[in-house]
């Protein structure tokens, strides 16, 4: 029996019943289940109103998990009518007993077997005239770290200029990371809609797009350059996208040192390297959300890509398995491929779990390819059995080639170098550092490239200039190396790890 007190907001933590396939998710499917014992039963002594919600309601762009709750009358002669069903409901109840059922659908796999994102539902039984939206709904799913980092709820914003005070929740999604959830007020029974939920501090700006305030997003992260460490505040513009009903992480703005040190020059250098790295190699640009929505939400696929591009049997078979066969998935390796002709590409390796696989086992793999021509949105373009840009295996003689190349004077070394700008100066810099025994580390790894055109990355670390050495780590230098008719050629040099050569 579901316990309640009149007018009091409450929540059930038990997971909703998983829908293994699309056919099992829906109000008709739950109505057909009416003869089975319900998870919860409510008994009311007089006419009252039941409000129930699986929310707050994220934009479809923020989640691929969908959930429903239903209310069914019960009697001594058998199950009665389903009175209400949906992600949020408000229904008048006559005196009697009522069954509540819930369903949740997610194609992703978790070790516990519980779909991510929805635990139970929120509810309230109140007088018939009570249609107040509970602000408590805004904090569903947010914990307070056992009281160490309590969340705060503010209603000091009007994000969409409709005259209603919207809700901002500041919390800690991780020990060292602040987070913010923004919700706009909607009509009862939906009440609150999530427009942003990010591990960042959010600051409204005095500009608007489609009626919504623009934001400045500040993410606390480790310094992106290998080996630097230390906390950086990485800022982006956040603009509201009316087509997705949510805020997007937009243009990268700047890096700020989260904990400035005793040397302003070292702080500026750390910020400069952070900004240069992010302008060419920003993980936030990897289209995880696009792939997750394409895999998990059939109703949104036509909005995300051109279906004719994915008419192949592999794509059809993958989506059929996810939608109708109870197959779940989790990410394997996700890699950026080498940019070609103004186009970026990523390959998302998927580990596919059949219904009867053990919890930590998976039956087969699939590789989802996403392409983004310059100036255009990213689109899912193919599903393959193997990655089109696997990491190249490192030849055993590659490191000795680089060692020999650095020993030669430039007049001889340039025969094994491309015409890339700056290679001559970098060769001299590395040669001097090597002669002075100032190269701290050398490593060779593969890059994600087509099998017929492999590439590798040689990495060295050189100590900071003496004036900064006390305050900052040594900086990496990278050489990209390719095959040539005579063996190898040094293709380019950079102080920023190329995205397709990241592990």
């Amino acid at each position: 029996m579901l316990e309640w007190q009149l007018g009091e907001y409450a929540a059930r933590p038990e997971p909703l019943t998983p829908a293994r396939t699309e056919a099992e998710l829906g109000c008709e499917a739950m109505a057909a289940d009416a003869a089975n014992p319900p998870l919860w039963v409510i008994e009311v002594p007089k006419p009252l109103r039941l409000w129930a919600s699986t929310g707050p309601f994220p934009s479809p762009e923020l989640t691929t998990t969908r959930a429903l709750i239903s209310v069914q009358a019960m009697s001594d002669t058998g199950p009665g009518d389903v009175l209400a069903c949906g992600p949020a409901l408000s229904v008048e109840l006559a005196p009697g007993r009522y069954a509540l059922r819930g369903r949740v659908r997610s194609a992703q796999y978790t070790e516990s077997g519980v779909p991510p994102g929805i635990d139970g539902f929120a509810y309230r039984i109140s007088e018939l005239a009570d249609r107040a939206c509970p602000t408590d709904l805004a904090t569903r799913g947010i914990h307070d770290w056992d009281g160490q980092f309590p969340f705060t709820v503010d209603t000091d914003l009007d994000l969409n200029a409709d005259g209603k005070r919207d809700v901002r929740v500041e919390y800690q999604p991780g020990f060292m990371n602040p987070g913010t959830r923004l919700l706009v007020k909607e009509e009862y029974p939906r009440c609150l809609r999530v427009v942003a939920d990010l591990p960042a501090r959010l600051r409204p700006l005095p500009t608007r797009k489609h009626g919504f305030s623009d934001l400045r997003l500040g993410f606390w992260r480790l310094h992106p350059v290998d080996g630097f460490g230390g906390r950086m505040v990485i800022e982006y513009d956040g603009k509201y996208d009316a087509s997705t009903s949510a805020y997007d992480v937009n243009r990268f703005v700047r890096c700020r040192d989260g904990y400035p040190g005793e040397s302003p020059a070292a702080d500026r250098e750390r910020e400069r390297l952070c900004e240069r790295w992010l302008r060419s190699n920003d993980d936030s640009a990897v289209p995880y959300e696009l792939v997750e929505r394409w895999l998990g939400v059939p109703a949104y696929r036509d909005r995300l890509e051109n279906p004719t591009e994915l008419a192949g049997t592999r794509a059809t078979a993958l989506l059929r398995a996810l939608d109708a066969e109870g197959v779940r998935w989790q990410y394997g390796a996700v890699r950026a491929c080498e940019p070609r002709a103004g186009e970026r590409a990523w390959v998302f390796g998927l580990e596919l779990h059949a219904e009867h696989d053990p919890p930590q086992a998976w039956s087969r793999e699939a590789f989802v390819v996403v392409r983004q021509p310059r100036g255009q949105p990213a689109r899912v373009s193919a599903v393959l059995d193997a990655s089109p840009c696997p990491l190249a295996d490192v030849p055993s003689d590659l490191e000795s080639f680089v060692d020999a190349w650095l020993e030669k004077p430039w007049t001889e070394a340039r025969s094994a170098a491309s015409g890339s700008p700056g290679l001559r100066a970098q060769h001299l810099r590395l040669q001097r550092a090597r002669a002075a025994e100032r190269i701290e580390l050398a490593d060779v790894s593969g890059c994600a490239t087509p099998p017929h055109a492999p590439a590798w990355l040689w990495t060295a670390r050189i100590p900071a200039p003496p004036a900064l050495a006390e305050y900052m780590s040594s900086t990496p230098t990278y050489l990209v190396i390719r095959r040539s008719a005579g063996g190898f050629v040094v293709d380019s040099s950079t102080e920023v790890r190329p995205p397709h050569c990241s592990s």
Side-chain angles (χ1 to χ4, degrees):
M1 189 71 66
L2 197 67
E3 296 181 358
W4 55 275
Q5 293 186 17
L6 189 64
E8 184 176 280
Y9 170 94
R12 298 300 303 185
E14 301 93 340
L16 303 183
T17 302
R20 297 173 302 113
T21 67
E22 282 298 305
E24 294 179 3
L25 180 72
C27 291
E28 291 183 1
M30 286 203 287
D33 196 36
N36 295 326
L39 288 178
W40 306 278
V41 174
I42 287 180
E43 186 169 338
V44 297
K46 64 176 184 176
L48 293 171
R49 178 178 299 280
L50 167 67
W51 169 85
S53 173
T54 62
F57 298 97
S59 158
E61 308 302 304
L62 300 179
T63 182
T64 62
T65 300
R66 294 158 289 149
L68 299 171
I69 192 85
S70 71
V71 182
Q72 170 201 4
M74 301 178 68
S75 69
D76 295 336
T77 58
D81 294 335
V82 174
L83 304 180
C85 177
L89 54 86
S90 173
V91 59
E92 296 182 11
L93 302 181
R97 299 172 75 241
Y98 299 87
L100 273 75
R101 291 182 172 84
R103 292 279 176 91
V104 61
R105 170 74 171 138
S106 176
Q108 285 187 280
Y109 172 85
T110 62
E111 290 186 7
S112 64
V114 177
I118 298 290
D119 289 332
F121 64 98
Y123 67 98
R124 184 180 60 199
I125 293 180
S126 56
E127 302 289 352
L128 295 180
D130 185 356
R131 300 173 67 90
C133 287
T135 303
D136 297 28
L137 188 65
T139 59
R140 266 178 52 81
I142 296 176
H143 62 76
D144 64 357
W145 285 70
D146 297 325
Q148 295 183 61
F149 302 106
F151 53 76
T152 60
V153 181
D154 292 309
T155 55
D156 57 347
L157 302 175
D158 180 2
L159 288 167
N160 53 353
D162 65 352
K164 300 176 183 177
R165 291 292 180 180
D166 298 314
V167 180
R168 171 172 54 190
V169 184
E170 294 186 347
Y171 63 100
Q172 293 280 128
F175 185 75
M176 291 291 289
N177 288 89
T180 311
R181 177 184 289 177
L182 293 181
L183 308 99
V184 294
K185 290 189 176 179
E186 294 196 335
E187 294 302 317
Y188 187 89
R190 291 183 64 89
C191 291
L192 293 169
R193 175 169 61 86
V194 179
V195 293
D197 198 349
L198 299 164
R201 290 285 187 226
L202 308 184
R203 177 167 59 89
L205 299 177
T207 52
R208 292 187 177 272
K209 182 178 182 181
H210 301 292
F212 276 76
S213 296
D214 293 335
L215 304 176
R216 179 62 51 81
L217 317 178
F219 295 83
W220 281 72
R221 295 175 180 163
L222 292 175
H223 198 291
V225 175
D226 295 343
F228 259 52
R231 290 278 166 172
M232 305 297 292
V233 179
I234 301 173
E235 295 186 353
Y236 296 84
D237 282 336
K239 294 187 180 295
Y240 186 80
D241 187 335
S243 67
T244 62
S245 302
Y247 280 95
D248 292 335
V249 180
N250 271 266
R251 180 182 63 92
F252 166 69
V253 177
R254 64 170 180 167
C255 290
R256 291 187 292 109
D257 203 310
Y259 298 103
E262 298 178 6
S263 169
D267 294 340
R268 286 193 297 269
E269 180 66 7
R270 286 169 51 81
E271 292 171 353
R272 183 191 72 82
L273 290 170
C274 174
E275 291 178 2
R276 183 164 183 181
W277 195 96
L278 286 170
R279 293 190 192 284
S280 62
N281 190 4
D282 190 350
D283 287 341
S284 69
V286 181
Y288 285 98
E289 293 85 358
L290 173 91
V291 173
E292 290 165 9
R293 294 194 301 277
W294 184 78
L295 291 170
V297 188
Y300 286 88
R301 287 177 190 145
D302 289 350
R303 292 174 50 193
L304 300 174
E305 41 75 34
N306 183 349
T308 61
E309 296 177 5
L310 287 160
T313 57
R314 292 185 183 91
T316 302
L318 172 62
L319 295 178
R320 183 176 63 248
L322 297 178
D323 295 344
E325 299 172 14
V327 172
R328 297 170 294 179
W329 64 271
Q330 66 181 11
Y331 286 123
V334 177
R335 294 193 175 98
C337 298
E338 184 177 15
R340 295 285 185 181
E343 179 182 81
R344 303 180 69 180
W346 298 266
V347 174
F348 292 77
L350 306 181
E351 299 168 356
L352 303 178
H353 302 254
E355 184 177 359
H356 299 296
D357 285 343
Q360 298 186 14
W362 43 278
S363 303
R364 55 194 174 94
E365 290 181 300
F367 295 86
V368 176
V369 181
V370 176
R371 301 190 184 279
Q372 184 177 24
R374 182 177 294 145
Q376 299 183 32
R379 294 190 181 277
V380 177
S381 65
V383 176
L384 305 173
D385 291 331
S387 174
C389 55
L391 286 183
D393 292 334
V394 178
S396 59
D397 55 344
L398 189 61
E399 195 164 354
S400 60
F401 160 76
V402 177
D403 289 341
W405 186 74
L406 291 177
E407 289 180 356
K408 297 176 182 177
W410 178 249
T411 53
E412 298 178 24
R414 66 184 175 187
S415 63
S418 71
S420 176
L423 262 184
R424 178 178 182 177
Q426 196 64 270
H427 176 270
L428 180 60
R429 176 172 176 262
L430 288 169
Q431 196 174 54
R432 287 174 173 170
R434 179 188 171 112
E437 297 183 346
R438 296 182 65 244
I439 293 182
E440 297 180 349
L441 173 67
D443 178 61
V444 181
S445 57
C447 299
T449 51
H452 66 276
W456 303 272
L457 191 71
W458 181 90
T459 304
R461 299 192 64 85
I462 300 176
L468 302 180
E470 182 181 351
Y471 304 102
M472 60 183 292
S473 302
S474 55
T475 57
T477 294
Y478 303 99
L479 299 179
V480 177
I481 302 162
R482 298 184 182 276
R483 287 280 186 195
S484 70
F488 300 107
V489 61
V490 179
D491 186 65
S492 61
S493 174
T494 176
E495 63 178 341
V496 175
R497 180 188 288 270
H500 65 290
C501 298
S502 298
S503 57

